[in-house]
Amino acid sequence: MSLISRRMAHIKPSPTLAVTARATELKSLGHDVIDFGAGEPDFDTPQFIKDAAIRALEQGKTKYTAVGGTLSLRKAIAQKFKRENGIDYTPEQIVVGVGAKQVIFNAFLASLDPGDEVIIPAPYWVSYPDMVALAEGVPVIVKCALNNHLKLTPEELEKAITPQTKWLILNSPSNPTGMAYSRKELEDLAAVLRRHPQVHVLSDDIYEHLVYDDFQFTTLVQVAPDLKERVLTVNGVSKSYSMTGWRIHSSGSLLPLSVLRSPYG
Ligand SMILES: Cc1ncc(COP(=O)(O)O)c(C=O)c1O
């Protein structure tokens, strides 16, 4: 009998870590390398955040909290969604986890039964298919065309949906392409989603603030409030505030996914 579970056979070693290790190796050999491996900003965590964390430690805020996040934090997150995204989530609809990665994994574990399909537009963040497979779902990879800037078209979405589709992952701006969906593009995808009520959307907005020029970030619930009950909006601080080593992130949803709560609060 093997110590390692059969489930682990579904997952592959992380290509991100392999690329990062190779970049580090080349740098140590004196090569001038720009590392596109890990999605990590190149600036330090801002001082006001460090100061607030030190103050919290000094005030003894080091104990277990409510598992879904403290009420004051969930209220602050609800205000963020209102202020920056124009979305109304109540604090009860917000769940705090130890990372967007954990929130997404929990969502799949909580919702996927064997055979349930998850549409993943490619190129994609390498963790998505493994997380789906670990939860015994079926990743359905849709290769997006270069001439549409590697973004999913309504036609491609329509073609990929089956009665078994449970989720569509929308990651905008995208890791790894950096491409982001415009308001119009999201509206067109929403029109397809309205025809398929079994499909939920995991909107991974973690790179919301990493946009350039005059691009206006928009998220699905903002353009299609009628789909709110089917969307899990995932966001966090690791990319926007260069806090990749800090572990706290949130998601807003009306979905009954109480297991998204982290045991660490
Ligand atoms: C698209 C995407 N989503 C989520 C995450 C994970 O974010 P977190 O640091 O909050 O776990 C990453 C990290 O690389 C990412 O690239």
Side-chain angles (χ1 to χ4, degrees):
M1 187 202 285
S2 164
L3 171 64
I4 308 300
S5 69
R6 259 172 306 173
R7 200 179 303 116
M8 296 309 287
H10 294 301
I11 59 166
K12 299 175 292 302
S14 162
T16 313
L17 296 186
V19 168
T20 305
R22 179 85 178 122
T24 308
E25 184 192 329
L26 288 172
K27 275 185 210 162
S28 73
L29 293 172
H31 294 282
D32 185 13
V33 176
I34 297 172
D35 180 3
F36 285 113
E40 203 158 48
D42 62 356
F43 56 92
D44 196 10
T45 305
Q47 192 58 44
F48 77 93
I49 296 175
K50 292 182 187 174
D51 291 343
I54 292 166
R55 260 199 321 277
L57 291 174
E58 286 171 350
Q59 288 167 1
K61 295 185 179 165
T62 56
K63 301 294 172 77
Y64 291 127
T65 61
V67 285
T70 62
L71 182 60
S72 58
L73 176 56
R74 285 184 286 120
K75 276 186 182 162
I77 293 166
Q79 282 163 9
K80 176 265 178 256
F81 275 125
K82 181 75 185 161
R83 185 178 65 245
E84 294 189 350
N85 310 111
I87 308 176
D88 288 305
Y89 282 124
T90 65
E92 294 70 38
Q93 292 163 349
I94 307 276
V95 167
V96 182
V98 296
K101 195 174 206 173
Q102 186 218 10
V103 167
I104 297 168
F105 179 70
N106 287 5
F108 290 147
L109 205 60
S111 61
L112 293 178
D113 283 315
D116 286 345
E117 295 174 2
V118 178
I119 298 174
I120 306 176
Y124 49 78
W125 177 40
V126 289
S127 296
Y128 294 138
D130 286 334
M131 291 198 268
V132 170
L134 261 181
E136 299 183 62
V138 180
V140 175
I141 310 295
V142 178
K143 216 167 158 229
C144 301
L146 201 53
N147 63 10
N148 193 40
H149 305 286
L150 301 167
K151 288 187 267 187
L152 184 71
T153 64
E155 296 74 30
E156 286 164 343
L157 174 60
E158 183 73 64
K159 232 173 107 190
I161 292 175
T162 75
Q164 281 74 47
T165 308
K166 200 161 240 178
W167 290 98
L168 159 70
I169 298 179
L170 271 185
N171 174 215
S172 170
S174 152
N175 174 4
T177 68
M179 289 298 160
Y181 289 79
S182 67
R183 175 174 276 274
K184 170 80 172 65
E185 286 166 335
L186 290 174
E187 278 166 1
D188 292 347
L189 293 174
V192 176
L193 291 164
R194 283 190 190 100
R195 292 197 284 274
H196 302 278
Q198 82 279 22
V199 183
H200 299 77
V201 182
L202 195 148
S203 181
D204 183 349
D205 299 354
I206 195 93
Y207 291 99
E208 165 180 11
H209 291 288
L210 276 77
V211 291
Y212 300 92
D213 304 325
D214 296 328
F215 184 82
Q216 187 69 44
F217 170 82
T218 324
T219 190
L220 183 65
V221 172
Q222 217 173 340
V223 306
D226 58 310
L227 296 181
K228 196 175 173 188
E229 311 242 339
R230 292 204 260 148
V231 180
L232 175 65
T233 305
V234 178
N235 210 324
V237 292
S238 54
K239 319 294 181 180
S240 304
Y241 298 97
S242 196
M243 296 173 69
T244 46
W246 304 51
R247 294 287 88 198
I248 176 171
H249 289 69
S250 69
S251 61
S253 179
L254 273 65
L255 296 166
L257 292 174
S258 56
V259 273
L260 289 182
R261 275 173 283 175
S262 134
Y264 311 109

